[in-house]
Amino acid sequence: MILTVTLNAALDITYRVPRLEPRASHRVREVAERPGGKGLNVARVLGALGHETLVTGFTGGPNGDRLRALLSEVTEEGPVGDAFVAVGGDTRRTVTVVDEASGDATVLNEPGPQVTPAEWERFLDVYGGLLHDATAVALCGSLPPGVPVGAYGTLVRAARTAGVPVLLDTDGEPLLRGLAARPDVVKPNSRELAGITGTTEPLRAARLAQRRGAHSVVASLGEDGLLALTPEGVWRVEPPRRLAGNPTGAGDSVVAALLSGLVEGLPWPDRLARAAALSAATVRAEVAGEFDRVLYEELLPGVRIDRQMAAV
C-alpha cells in the first residue's frame, strides 16, 4: 500500500468558461467537483496505474463531508482508501477556472482550516500506525493554519524510522525543514527550487537542495521536462513533444510515477521516463488527478533521457 499525505486537502471546483476576461461576467459552461489536494491527485494517478493507495490528512465541516463522499465513489482511476483525521474547521475549497479558448487555467486556493495542537497530535498517532503497512509514502502540498512549520520534517523522520521510503513535495520553509530530515526524494518545480536555494540555474539549485539533505532531487522544469540528481547519476528528461493544455496536476503525476517506479523496483531511467510521459499526458486531461492513458502509452517510448554525469 502506498500512503499519500495531504494535510491541507481541498474540495476542488473546476469551472469551464468559453473565454476568461478580467472585470467581466461569465457564463459557466461546465462545473466539476473533485476531492483535491496534491496527495489526493497523486493517489488517483497511482490507482489508475494499478497500485493500492491510502490517503490521510485533515478534513472537516461540510466541504470535508463532500470531499469524503466523492472519494468513496468508484471511479475509473481505481479505489482510494480514506484514512483522514477529522478537524473542527471546514475543509478549504480550490477554484479553477479553465479558459476554453486558450486552454489556460486560473487557480484560487483558500488557506485551509485552523488545526489545533490536539488535532495535530491525533494525526501523528494515526500516521504512525499507517506506516506499518506502507510500502512508500508521499508528503504533499501546503500546511493548513496551526500545523507546525516543521511538520514535514517530523513526518519524514517517522517514515525513515519505520523503514518506509518517503517523497516530499512542498515548498518554502516547510520544504527547507523537511530537507533537513533527509527524505529519499524531493520533487520541487523550478520556482520552488529557486525559492529555497536563491539560484535559478536548475542544476546548481538541485545540488544545493541535495546538500541540504535530500538523497535525490527530481525537479519539474515545465515544458523543458525534468532534471534528476540521484545517487545513481544525473539525468535530463524530456517528453517527445510539447503539449498545450492544463498543467494543473502535472507535477502530481510526476510524484505518482516516481513512487510507482520505486515500489516496482524500476531503475531510475525507467522511473523518469514514466514521470515525463505521465506529466505530459496529464496536461491533456480536464482535471488534476487524471491523465490521457492513450497519449501516455504513445509518449512513453519516445521520452528522451540524457545522462549528464555519473552518481553524485
Side-chain angles (χ1 to χ4, degrees), residues 71-82:
L71 189 62
S72 68
E73 295 178 358
V74 177
T75 67
E76 63 182 16
E77 290 92 11
V80 174
D82 175 357

Side-chain angles (χ1 to χ4, degrees), residues 169-201:
D169 182 15
T170 186
D171 65 355
E173 189 65 23
L175 175 55
L176 279 174
R177 301 286 187 95
L179 280 174
R182 301 187 60 79
D184 295 274
V185 186
V186 293
K187 205 291 302 168
N189 61 34
S190 54
R191 176 190 59 79
E192 293 162 349
L193 198 54
I196 64 166
T197 63
T199 177
T200 58
E201 200 288 306

Side-chain angles (χ1 to χ4, degrees), residues 67-275:
L67 183 155
R68 298 181 85 164
L70 291 168
L71 189 62
S72 68
E73 295 178 358
V74 177
T75 67
E76 63 182 16
E77 290 92 11
V80 174
D82 175 357
F84 277 109
V85 174
V87 294
D90 199 11
T91 293
R92 68 186 178 125
R93 296 164 298 179
T94 61
V95 178
T96 300
V97 183
V98 177
D99 182 329
E100 293 180 331
S102 66
D104 292 337
T106 300
V107 183
L108 305 175
N109 293 314
E110 296 181 356
Q114 182 74 32
V115 176
T116 68
E119 290 167 342
W120 172 240
E121 289 299 322
R122 187 162 68 249
F123 171 79
L124 290 177
D125 288 341
V126 170
Y127 174 74
L130 295 174
L131 287 174
H132 293 304
D133 297 318
T135 54
V137 59
L139 308 174
C140 304
S142 62
L143 302 179
V147 171
V149 70
Y152 283 132
T154 300
L155 301 183
V156 169
R157 283 187 288 271
R160 289 180 57 78
T161 298
V164 180
V166 56
L167 184 152
L168 177 61
D169 182 15
T170 186
D171 65 355
E173 189 65 23
L175 175 55
L176 279 174
R177 301 286 187 95
L179 280 174
R182 301 187 60 79
D184 295 274
V185 186
V186 293
K187 205 291 302 168
N189 61 34
S190 54
R191 176 190 59 79
E192 293 162 349
L193 198 54
I196 64 166
T197 63
T199 177
T200 58
E201 200 288 306
L203 182 57
R204 182 165 180 249
R207 286 191 182 281
L208 289 171
Q210 196 175 49
R211 289 171 188 162
R212 291 176 183 265
H215 288 272
S216 299
V217 179
V218 180
S220 296
L221 305 179
E223 293 183 342
D224 293 327
L226 304 171
L227 169 67
L229 274 73
T230 82
E232 297 177 21
V234 178
W235 289 274
R236 287 293 300 263
V237 188
E238 297 180 43
R241 64 179 187 273
R242 297 185 177 186
L243 299 168
N246 178 7
T248 305
D252 303 328
S253 288
V254 171
V255 172
L258 295 174
L259 282 177
S260 63
L262 185 155
V263 300
E264 291 170 27
L266 299 181
W268 269 105
D270 291 347
R271 299 184 210 178
L272 295 170
R274 180 181 291 181

